Amino acid sequence: MKYLLKNLGILMIIAAVVILGVYAMNNFVDNIYLIISLLLLIGGIFAHIILTRQIEE
């Protein structure tokens, strides 16, 4: 369980990159995919920093 929590931020960042890749390959008119990937990137960075500090202590 600790291993999954420690890598949760990285998984969120990878999901955001996959969403951006899908957005780049297709011609979507909506910006919702960009907003979702931005939120996942920011949340993933903060989750990685915070969870890494919490688990190591």
Side-chain angles (χ1 to χ4, degrees):
M1 188 66 177
K2 282 187 178 182
Y3 182 75
L4 180 63
L5 283 177
K6 190 173 182 180
N7 292 324
L8 180 65
I10 302 297
L11 293 174
M12 290 172 66
I13 293 171
I14 291 172
V17 170
V18 168
I19 291 172
L20 283 174
V22 170
Y23 181 81
M25 287 184 188
N26 297 328
N27 294 328
F28 292 122
V29 180
D30 298 339
N31 288 333
I32 192 71
Y33 298 105
L34 296 175
I35 294 169
I36 290 171
S37 64
L38 175 69
L39 293 175
L40 279 173
L41 276 172
I42 293 172
I45 290 170
F46 284 124
H48 181 69
I49 292 170
I50 292 170
L51 289 175
T52 302
R53 287 184 185 172
Q54 293 287 332
I55 292 174
E56 287 181 358
E57 291 178 356

